[in-house]
Amino acid sequence: TLLGVLLKTMATAADAYEALVASFKRMHALEHAESMLMWDQMVHVQPKCAPARTASLAELGRIKHERQTAPELATQLDACEADIAAGGELSKDAIKAANVREMRRVWAEQNKLPAELVTRQKTAVGQAQAAWPAAKKAGDWAAFVPHVEKMFAIAQEEGELLRKGREAELPTAYDALLDKWEPGLRAAAVDEHF
């Protein structure tokens, strides 16, 4: 019956939403662990330990990316979005609807980035963090330039990948990177203030 299908869809959307929330909470826990490891690397890690810490951060980044791009998330997001579009229970809760929209944005962004890029980015940041104290202490800024160049090149690559399919909306790679952290912000608006 129609009522039976409707009730099953509601239960499926509610279950999908709860599964998404649980997945994103786990990803947040990984992000927290990642930030604690990064802080520890900046404050406590001895130079000889930095390569192992960098490898750990890169692996943690890869695991987080793997979870952020998991196929079951797409299925769960589809179920939630269908419920919202049909005026179901999720559409009646503005916070849940916004959560679904943001989870889809994160999922879509992460699916544009290959795991190799994420790992390379985490490695480059870890290597730069390890190199910075010695360069700073010696006043040897030239020694740090290769790290900055590498991180900028990776950021440019990330921005270009994030722009794919949204070139009209995101005219530059920088616009795509801004949009990742502040949706809707564009370089032109930033330029007006600086």
Side-chain angles (χ1 to χ4, degrees):
T1 68
L2 179 59
L3 180 60
V5 171
L6 197 57
L7 290 173
K8 184 177 178 186
T9 303
M10 285 173 44
T12 302
D15 292 344
Y17 181 79
E18 292 307 317
L20 281 169
V21 169
S23 292
F24 274 79
K25 281 182 178 179
R26 285 191 299 275
M27 287 181 253
H28 178 73
L30 290 173
E31 288 172 4
H32 180 72
E34 187 177 43
S35 67
M36 294 305 294
L37 287 172
M38 183 63 83
W39 172 83
D40 187 60
Q41 180 172 350
M42 290 186 288
V43 176
H44 295 292
V45 171
Q46 297 298 314
K48 65 182 178 182
C49 300
R53 178 56 55 87
T54 295
S56 296
L57 284 164
E59 180 62 15
L60 194 55
R62 186 197 61 75
I63 291 167
K64 183 177 71 171
H65 181 264
E66 194 174 82
R67 289 191 178 196
Q68 289 173 322
T69 59
E72 62 269 16
L73 293 182
T75 303
Q76 293 161 351
L77 286 163
D78 289 344
C80 291
E81 290 168 340
D83 179 77
I84 291 167
E89 285 302 309
L90 293 177
S91 70
K92 296 172 185 160
D93 187 326
I95 292 172
K96 288 181 179 179
N99 283 344
V100 170
R101 187 173 54 252
E102 287 303 301
M103 288 186 265
R104 173 64 81 177
R105 185 179 63 78
V106 168
W107 181 87
E109 284 175 352
Q110 291 303 309
N111 271 279
K112 290 182 176 186
L113 305 176
E116 176 275 328
L117 175 71
V118 172
T119 302
R120 196 163 24 103
Q121 182 183 48
K122 297 294 182 185
T123 301
V125 169
Q127 290 169 343
Q129 287 287 350
W132 174 245
K136 182 180 177 186
K137 185 176 182 180
D140 187 2
W141 313 122
F144 195 67
V145 168
H147 295 285
V148 173
E149 289 173 340
K150 188 175 192 177
M151 289 187 297
F152 270 94
I154 293 169
Q156 178 72 31
E157 186 178 347
E158 177 186 10
E160 291 299 337
L161 289 167
L162 291 173
R163 283 184 72 222
K164 281 191 178 174
R166 297 178 65 196
E167 290 85 356
E169 179 189 352
L170 302 169
T172 68
Y174 185 59
D175 286 309
L177 293 170
L178 281 173
D179 194 67
K180 180 178 176 179
W181 300 108
E182 187 64 42
L185 182 63
R186 300 295 175 262
V190 173
D191 288 344
E192 289 177 19
H193 300 285
F194 295 100

